[in-house]
Amino acid sequence: MSIPQWFAGQALLADDMNARNPKLVTQQNDQTVTSSTTLVNSEITFVPEPNALYQYWLYISYSATVNSDLRWAWAAAGATLASFTIGYAATAGSGVNTGSDVIMRRPGNTTARAAGGTDTAGTTPPVNFHSAYDLGTFVTDGTLSPVTLQFAQNTSHADQTILRGGNQTRMIYARIG
């Protein structure tokens, strides 16, 4: 069902009006992964309407060392994403404010995205807060299927990789068709 067109004199329903409002999903708690490249579900999850087109903006806050980095992907069985991402290169510089190479890419629908960490190896927990971004559009099929952000370490290591909560990692999405 697409967002309806409205005409003069038409009675508007609250559901029709609310379908156009952006929605916010937040990561409430820190989630930590160690020694694993297996993707785990985050708290960023929602069930979009079937047969719809959405625009989204994902703002990731994370901490990682140079040994572990961050990797993220989408579990979205009923959706096809057109994603554009920005994250620290896995060979990021040694400080959060020293500048570094970034990866700007358009990954495939099921391709994992990577972002580097800058904390010194063995720093537990890592203390530098980093940002990564994922934005784009997605279209849903005819099923009610959840869209869930998943994350892991890019390289398995005993150093922690932390997806930051406390309303720091967040996703805004809006139905546009």
Side-chain angles (χ1 to χ4, degrees), residues 32 47 52 65:
T32 303
V47 179
T65 71

Side-chain angles (χ1 to χ4, degrees), residues 3-126:
I3 294 178
Q5 294 292 320
W6 299 328
F7 303 99
Q10 178 181 352
L12 300 178
L13 301 175
D15 286 346
D16 294 336
M17 298 293 287
N18 289 331
R20 296 175 185 247
N21 292 340
K23 295 171 181 59
L24 174 68
V25 181
T26 60
Q27 177 78 20
Q28 295 297 314
N29 302 291
D30 286 354
Q31 278 184 266
T32 303
V33 174
T34 56
S35 303
S36 178
T37 58
T38 301
L39 292 165
V40 296
N41 290 342
S42 72
E43 296 174 11
I44 304 292
T45 187
F46 66 98
V47 179
E49 295 179 40
N51 300 314
L53 175 64
Y54 287 85
Q55 184 173 14
Y56 74 94
W57 303 266
L58 173 67
Y59 305 99
I60 299 173
S61 178
Y62 71 97
S63 298
T65 71
V66 295
N67 289 333
S68 58
D69 301 322
L70 171 78
R71 181 167 62 104
W72 78 94
W74 292 101
T80 301
L81 286 91
S83 177
F84 299 83
T85 64
I86 303 171
Y88 264 124
T91 57
S94 60
V96 291
N97 291 318
T98 58
S100 185
D101 293 335
V102 296
I103 302 167
M104 301 174 75
R105 63 183 300 230
R106 167 51 188 106
N109 190 51
T110 58
T111 303
R113 295 95 165 123
T118 61
D119 277 279
T120 305
T123 305
T124 301

